Amino acid sequence: MGTSIAELITDRMDAMPAGERRAAQTLIANYPLAGLKTVADFSQHAGVSSPTILRFVARLGFHNYAEFQATLQHELAAQLQSPLSRTERQSGHRGEEPAMLAATLDNIRETFGHVSPRQMDEIVALLAHPRASIHLIGGRFTDPIARYMAAHMTIIRPAVFHLSGQESNWRDRLIDMGRRDVLFVFDIRRYQDSLLQLAETAHKRGIQIVLVTDQWLSPIARFARHVVAGRTAVPSAWDSSAALFVFAEALIGELTRRLESESAKRIGELETLRKG
């Protein structure tokens, strides 16, 4: 599977002049629909000129706007696929184990290939802030990653919470969150409306949002300070969360190193409590 436009933007954002960066941010905030509008509509929405939009498209490697839109349409079709449609496409295939393994390893490599050291460092800095509380949540299939991550983070720093239970209770937790706090969300296709509503409300309250999603981008991206577009597609009816899980483990490792002295003291106290 080729590099998505969202991944291309992540790779090239730092090299873009201000106008093209505004176009990129506009597209990410309403992905991929903003790019399916006419050049004039896209430029008006982004607050830049039509030539700026065309330069932005060229910087991403497309020969013209029509080629750019065709790629976005292909991504939108992939984003909307159901497990049933993927089952039908895979019917008749045998011996999938090697292909599945190869695709999973490729997904991990591609995911980390589009996460810059700078972005990783900035996410870790948010999670390490001593006065921030961290709230983690995921969707139907990704919430176990959020729970796993929260279990590790609780050992190395205080004020870490996994948002569980009924969806109606999630928003109640926002009352205790402030502008330093972080809502860490996992959301992959087919994106969960309740998570989008939670993220939108959190954004309005100024809460920092980190989103780990797939290469087609959850609509939560429009509210997130940081977006990590992981690779999830494999030769199966189901998407794979393996790359997202490995990213979570890498983040846990980096955070542990960042909080080395604080976490060592905390772990020591925990061990004492367990022995007592």
Side-chain angles (χ1 to χ4, degrees), residues 114-131:
H114 296 289
V115 178
S116 69
R118 176 181 174 182
Q119 184 182 32
M120 179 68 90
D121 189 64
E122 289 177 353
I123 293 173
V124 170
L126 280 180
L127 299 179
H129 196 292
R131 297 178 66 185

Side-chain angles (χ1 to χ4, degrees), residues 29-188:
N30 190 20
Y31 192 87
L33 300 181
L36 297 176
K37 300 178 182 293
T38 65
V39 173
D41 286 344
F42 188 1
S43 65
Q44 183 178 15
H45 191 196
V48 299
S49 67
S50 293
T52 297
I53 296 295
L54 296 178
R55 287 193 295 271
F56 163 67
V57 168
R59 186 179 296 277
L60 297 180
F62 296 98
H63 295 99
N64 52 56
Y65 196 68
E67 182 184 8
F68 165 75
Q69 287 195 315
T71 301
L72 283 177
Q73 287 168 347
H74 178 76
E75 289 186 18
L76 180 60
Q79 182 188 106
L80 297 175
Q81 284 179 358
S82 68
L84 177 60
S85 66
R86 294 197 288 276
T87 298
E88 291 168 349
R89 291 179 60 189
Q90 292 298 324
S91 62
H93 287 247
R94 295 294 182 269
E96 291 288 355
E97 290 80 6
M100 184 75 173
L101 176 60
T104 300
L105 294 174
D106 284 345
N107 282 349
I108 294 170
R109 280 189 287 265
E110 286 291 329
T111 296
F112 281 87
H114 296 289
V115 178
S116 69
R118 176 181 174 182
Q119 184 182 32
M120 179 68 90
D121 189 64
E122 289 177 353
I123 293 173
V124 170
L126 280 180
L127 299 179
H129 196 292
R131 297 178 66 185
S133 63
I134 314 299
H135 302 259
L136 299 101
I137 192 168
R140 181 181 178 189
F141 295 110
T142 54
D143 194 54
I145 310 175
R147 186 166 60 248
Y148 176 87
M149 192 170 168
H152 280 77
M153 288 178 61
T154 298
I155 296 172
I156 59 177
R157 59 150 296 159
V160 176
F161 308 95
H162 173 238
L163 298 183
S164 58
Q166 296 185 10
E167 296 176 1
S168 59
N169 295 330
W170 297 349
R171 288 194 186 186
D172 293 349
R173 300 291 295 273
L174 294 174
I175 196 170
D176 296 320
M177 298 187 206
R179 293 182 177 272
R180 293 191 194 89
D181 300 328
V182 179
L183 179 63
F184 199 110
V185 185
F186 292 87
D187 189 34
I188 61 175

Side-chain angles (χ1 to χ4, degrees), residues 15-33:
M16 293 180 186
E20 292 178 29
R21 193 176 298 117
R22 283 198 297 274
Q25 291 165 343
T26 299
L27 178 57
I28 292 298
N30 190 20
Y31 192 87
L33 300 181

Side-chain angles (χ1 to χ4, degrees), residues 218-229:
S218 161
I220 294 172
R222 73 189 69 165
F223 304 119
R225 177 169 178 179
H226 291 286
V227 178
V228 175

